[in-house]
Amino acid sequence: MTMVTKGKSQSKEADWLTLDEMKTWRVLHEVVTGLPVVLGDELRREVDLSFLEYYVLAGLSEQPNHSLRMSQLALLANSELSRLSHLVGRLEKRGLVRRRPDPTDGRFNLAVLTSAGRKLVGQAAPLHVKHVRQLIFDVLDESEQHALRNGLMKVRGEIIRQLLDRSPGLVIPTEI
């Protein structure tokens, strides 16, 4: 492979993945991209929520006062703020969430879970957990679950390190 930098040509061979590493990467990619689709299909059928809508409502349900700044909710949902704003707008129209200025700093808006939103999360959560159990925990024995968690915790640690390098003020929940 030849790389050109400021008019100069440099030859540099990529550190390609081994066949075994490629197999692992492809399986991980398929799981990471497929899991929200499969879980979302079930949620949509059962309670008319997408995976991301459920994730936002569930995230709010776990917060003190069932509210969170929109910018923090975007991080939690791994969503761009503009995309999350549209999603919250749809949830507002359904009466599941409302927005209000943050009383501690009016420059920010809070997303607040309504009683209807809490009720829907209460209906959706057992269905979601049942499906997660079927997809993951029913197919892995306890040692496989521990190995999966331990490996993913190492990957998560590196991801967090790189996120913090890019955005030093970023607050990332470290407890699981």
Side-chain angles (χ1 to χ4, degrees), residues 69 100-110:
R69 281 185 179 172
R100 67 176 175 90
D102 185 338
T104 63
D105 188 338
R107 296 175 299 168
F108 297 98
N109 284 317
L110 297 175

Side-chain angles (χ1 to χ4, degrees), residues 5-109:
T5 312
K6 295 186 181 178
K8 296 180 182 177
S9 178
Q10 298 177 357
S11 181
K12 182 176 181 179
E13 185 63 31
D15 188 13
W16 298 109
L17 299 176
T18 66
L19 182 59
D20 193 51
E21 290 168 336
M22 180 59 79
K23 288 177 182 179
T24 301
W25 166 244
R26 285 185 174 157
V27 168
L28 177 60
H29 182 266
E30 289 169 4
V31 168
V32 167
T33 58
L35 195 58
V37 173
V38 172
L39 291 171
D41 287 347
E42 184 77 11
L43 288 165
R44 192 168 305 285
R45 259 193 314 276
E46 298 289 334
V47 292
D48 194 29
L49 287 173
S50 72
F51 178 76
L52 188 55
E53 289 169 336
Y54 171 76
Y55 203 77
V56 164
L57 295 175
L60 288 172
S61 76
E62 297 171 348
Q63 300 302 315
N65 302 318
H66 304 292
S67 66
L68 199 58
R69 281 185 179 172
M70 290 288 290
S71 55
Q72 293 170 314
L73 189 56
L75 287 173
L76 177 72
N78 190 29
S79 177
E80 294 175 0
L81 188 54
S82 61
R83 181 173 181 224
L84 179 75
S85 184
H86 289 293
L87 182 140
V88 169
R90 289 192 307 272
L91 295 174
E92 277 183 305
K93 287 178 183 172
R94 294 177 61 186
L96 304 172
V97 173
R98 65 182 167 82
R99 282 184 261 205
R100 67 176 175 90
D102 185 338
T104 63
D105 188 338
R107 296 175 299 168
F108 297 98
N109 284 317

Side-chain angles (χ1 to χ4, degrees), residues 144-163:
E144 290 169 325
Q145 290 173 36
H146 291 181
L148 177 63
R149 180 178 60 236
N150 291 338
L152 291 175
M153 289 296 290
K154 289 178 180 180
V155 172
R156 179 180 183 266
E158 179 60 18
I159 289 169
I160 289 172
R161 185 192 68 72
Q162 289 191 23
L163 287 171

Side-chain angles (χ1 to χ4, degrees), residues 39 127-138:
L39 291 171
L127 301 166
H128 176 68
V129 169
K130 178 183 174 190
H131 205 200
V132 167
R133 180 169 301 289
Q134 289 171 342
L135 289 169
I136 298 169
F137 299 104
D138 289 351

